Amino acid sequence: VKPALGNIYISELDLPKLIDFYNGVRKRTSASTANHHIALVSTFWNWCEKYKYLPVNSNPCKLIEKGKNEKIEYAVLDEQGYRAFFDAVEQGINGQSQFNTRAFRAIKVIALTACRHSEITKLKKSELDLDNHRLNLEDSKTKAKKVPLGQLAIQELRKALDESPADSEYVFPALRKSTATEHSELDLRKPFAWVLQTAKLPYMRIHDLRHSFASFATDMGEDIHAIKEVLGHKYTTTT
């Protein structure tokens, strides 16, 4: 909000300016993100009305027609898809792309653990318990979470530890530092798109690797309660 509206007094905002702002955010991101942006402006506007900085009932945000995201069907990998996927990931790890090789190892770990994107890109070394075959995540979507690890995932995490700078608290830090002491977060979007293109796979989201993991495990006959524990779901109905 601040880059677009930060230099404008709220009393100078009107419906056309807010519509332009909303449409600009929606074009750059998504309808849901634009809805969140305009809701924040609306909340501040209501605060200004409450404390008499603006006339009561002057909020134009409620007149903006909110959009909805197009529904995207999630994709899952079958055995052939997994083979092509991991072959492409290995090419990335071996430096056959223009992207950070750490990104491809992080993608591989996501695929092998069914962790969420941020749970791996923000994974701290202190959260590793490789001797006991698990991750002890401090702050996942479901708060504290223990993730059981298979042998392949452990191998990749040990390699990631060897590659991670000693001064970083993260397992998969980016190459550059955002500050003097902190590495910036590893961006997986373009490397993931490269993997899909190299593997000749259709469009899918990084989050779909979780769906693929659960679907493939079900096809292999794994117990639904075991899959629930790996995914970190509270209920089997969610799984």
Side-chain angles (χ1 to χ4, degrees), residues 13-238:
L13 287 176
D14 54 19
L15 183 58
K17 289 177 182 176
L18 287 169
I19 290 175
D20 287 344
F21 165 68
Y22 177 83
N23 289 336
V25 174
R26 183 174 178 178
K27 185 177 180 181
R28 292 195 313 274
T29 57
S30 65
S32 60
T33 301
N35 293 344
H36 284 302
H37 278 60
I38 208 67
L40 178 59
V41 175
S42 182
T43 299
F44 180 56
W45 195 294
N46 291 337
W47 184 91
C48 290
E49 289 185 9
K50 180 179 179 180
Y51 292 99
K52 301 181 181 180
Y53 291 103
L54 289 170
V56 176
N57 296 325
S58 63
N59 190 344
C61 295
K62 57 188 175 183
L63 301 176
I64 297 175
E65 185 176 350
K66 310 299 190 300
K68 293 183 179 180
N69 291 345
E70 293 183 12
K71 186 176 180 180
I72 300 176
E73 296 294 335
Y74 67 80
V76 294
L77 297 172
D78 56 13
E79 182 176 352
Q80 183 178 356
Y82 265 120
R83 291 182 185 279
F85 180 85
F86 282 120
D87 283 346
V89 168
E90 287 300 325
Q91 291 180 48
I93 290 174
N94 293 330
Q96 297 179 38
S97 84
Q98 69 271 39
F99 300 111
N100 186 339
T101 57
R102 285 184 202 154
F104 296 102
R105 198 176 302 283
I107 290 170
K108 187 174 183 180
V109 170
I110 291 173
L112 291 171
T113 61
C115 282
R116 295 178 178 87
H117 173 282
S118 61
E119 291 171 346
I120 296 303
T121 56
K122 296 180 180 179
L123 181 64
K124 296 179 180 178
K125 296 174 182 176
S126 60
E127 295 175 308
L128 297 179
D129 187 3
L130 301 185
D131 290 338
N132 291 309
H133 295 194
R134 69 186 180 205
L135 302 178
N136 297 320
L137 301 181
E138 300 168 0
D139 187 25
S140 73
K141 183 179 178 182
T142 50
K143 298 184 179 179
K145 172 182 171 184
K146 296 185 184 297
V147 180
L149 298 174
Q151 196 58 45
L152 287 176
I154 291 173
Q155 290 175 14
E156 294 303 322
L157 287 166
R158 290 194 188 282
K159 292 175 183 176
L161 274 178
D162 291 339
E163 296 167 354
S164 177
D167 63 344
S168 176
E169 64 177 322
Y170 295 102
V171 179
F172 295 102
L175 289 177
R176 61 184 177 83
K177 287 188 175 183
S178 53
T179 67
T181 57
E182 289 294 331
H183 286 82
S184 57
E185 186 176 337
L186 194 61
D187 190 347
L188 303 184
R189 292 171 296 177
K190 290 182 179 179
F192 186 73
W194 183 92
V195 168
L196 296 180
Q197 183 179 12
T198 302
K200 296 182 172 55
L201 291 169
Y203 169 80
M204 63 185 300
R205 303 163 300 173
I206 296 177
H207 192 76
D208 290 338
L209 293 175
R210 277 173 63 81
H211 298 149
S212 296
F213 186 102
S215 177
F216 201 67
T218 302
D219 290 343
M220 292 173 63
E222 291 290 346
D223 181 72
I224 188 67
H225 294 283
I227 300 172
K228 175 183 79 73
E229 291 302 316
V230 173
L231 296 178
H233 291 159
K234 189 173 182 179
Y235 305 107
T236 52
T237 50
T238 305

